[in-house]
Amino acid sequence: MEISEIKKRLSAEIVGEKLFVYDEVGSTNDVLRELLGDDLAADGTVVVSDSQTVGRGRLGRKWVSPRGVNLYLSALFRPEIPPQKSSVFTFLASCALVEVFSVYGVDAEIKWPNDILVGGKKVSGVLTELGTSGGAVDYLVIGIGVNLNLSEEFIRREMEDISEKTTSLSILLGEEVNRERFCAEVINALDRLYGEFRRRGTQVIVDMWIERWGFIGKEISVDVSGEIVSGVVERVDANGFLYLRTDESDLRKVVTGDTVF
Ligand code: BT5
């Protein structure tokens, strides 16, 4: 990706003020951490790469990251929040992505905790990693992968096990997507919502996410380390944890897991 083609579209104040663009990295999340260690990254620094050799999802899962077709982006945030609130930044990124998809006329859905789907198929995922110091968050690295120009043929050939559950923006639109433009839109949206967080705190982000997610009062099933917990979502607390009413006498707090359909 051309850095100048991204920069000329940026209206952001903090996010992307420092922007590093690479051809190939292991994982953009790791590169950002290394830059931070070398004192080259500040709040809002963004790393983008054309490909990743070891792109990852949560819990050691793989993120398929072919060259030249998608967006692989990591943003550094240094908010003063306790570690248990770090999911709020996954929510912030999810809301930013839904906003950007809507600019392209695509109605994206959020799947708790970190997936973005369109028509039930995954188009994007968010990986939040953190460093702590003295019991508080020192930094958060928010990794965002978006399938932009991934072809149906590639998905069928290289992503056999998940081909029915995967899509890309170009498949949805029926035309090629300008990756630099999409990247700049994501940075601008992250910046807007980060500004919102800095002015008004975490709750405004959680509330926005709850509204976009839309599952309060509905039944969902969550895979919690292999155990399927089903229930009606009673509420989402200030940390982003779910409370599922599994029966009249049981309200289960769910901190991590994957929604299953
Ligand atoms: C995620 O994990 O969805 C987080 C993905 C974050 C990727 C970004 S890219 C930039 C940054 N650098 C990194 O190394 N990572 C971040 P999770 O919820 O655990 O979902 C992973 C699962 O999604 C896999 O096990 C597959 O089933 C599926 N998957 C893998 N690659 C995919 C892709 N390109 N598109 C759709 N689904 C995919």
Side-chain angles (χ1 to χ4, degrees):
M1 279 206 263
E2 284 294 326
I3 192 165
S4 59
E5 289 293 308
I6 301 171
K7 279 199 163 156
K8 73 180 190 196
R9 295 175 166 93
L10 291 183
S11 57
E13 281 171 24
I14 292 184
V15 185
E17 221 225 319
K18 269 189 169 181
L19 174 64
F20 296 86
V21 178
Y22 298 84
D23 278 342
E24 181 174 287
V25 300
S27 155
T28 52
N29 272 28
D30 292 340
V31 171
L32 193 46
R33 265 224 205 85
E34 282 157 24
L35 289 170
L36 181 67
D38 294 341
D39 242 355
L40 291 169
D43 193 24
T45 299
V46 170
V47 167
V48 176
S49 181
D50 239 22
S51 67
Q52 298 187 121
T53 52
V54 281
R56 63 175 179 271
R58 294 178 305 135
L59 309 164
R61 294 190 283 230
K62 184 179 166 190
W63 187 255
V64 177
S65 306
R67 171 182 296 276
V69 285
N70 288 338
L71 177 66
Y72 315 111
L73 176 151
S74 296
L76 183 79
F77 294 102
R78 308 197 78 177
E80 286 178 19
I81 57 170
Q84 67 269 22
K85 287 214 159 116
S86 44
S87 302
V88 174
F89 276 73
T90 309
F91 288 3
L92 187 153
S94 301
C95 289
L97 286 162
V98 170
E99 272 182 21
V100 174
F101 280 112
S102 76
V103 171
Y104 289 79
V106 170
D107 198 9
E109 308 132 36
I110 295 174
K111 183 174 153 198
W112 183 85
N114 68 319
D115 290 345
I116 305 294
L117 312 182
V118 179
K121 296 183 176 191
K122 186 158 170 174
V123 67
S124 173
V126 178
L127 174 69
T128 298
E129 296 179 324
L130 76 158
T132 59
S133 140
V137 165
D138 179 26
Y139 65 85
L140 291 170
V141 173
I142 309 296
I144 294 175
V146 187
N147 297 335
L148 293 179
N149 294 319
L150 201 61
S151 68
E152 303 228 41
E153 201 248 322
F154 181 95
I155 293 174
R156 261 199 314 275
R157 199 182 62 228
E158 305 286 337
M159 302 167 82
E160 277 170 43
D161 48 331
I162 51 169
S163 63
E164 297 299 311
K165 293 191 263 171
T166 305
T167 192
S168 71
L169 187 55
S170 66
I171 293 171
L172 294 163
L173 295 178
E175 64 184 27
E176 175 127 343
V177 177
N178 179 318
R179 291 185 303 138
E180 284 94 347
R181 177 185 161 206
F182 191 95
C183 177
E185 303 264 20
V186 170
I187 293 172
N188 290 338
L190 288 172
D191 189 68
R192 258 193 321 276
L193 293 181
Y194 190 42
E196 197 71 359
F197 156 77
R198 279 181 295 112
R199 281 188 297 277
R200 298 167 62 196
T202 50
Q203 193 57 44
V204 63
I205 305 295
V206 174
D207 290 343
M208 185 185 297
W209 181 88
I210 288 173
E211 198 180 311
R212 301 224 163 123
W213 179 55
F215 276 90
I216 298 281
K218 295 192 181 154
E219 169 134 15
I220 64 166
S221 296
V222 179
D223 182 334
V224 183
S225 319
E227 183 203 357
I228 305 296
V229 181
S230 298
V232 172
V233 184
E234 207 156 279
R235 66 188 187 93
V236 175
D237 73 11
N239 298 323
F241 304 154
L242 304 186
Y243 289 78
L244 297 187
R245 173 70 60 193
T246 56
D247 66 45
E248 261 174 45
S249 60
D250 186 36
L251 187 64
R252 284 281 292 269
K253 175 178 170 184
V254 181
V255 176
T256 55
D258 291 285
T259 305
V260 287
F261 290 115

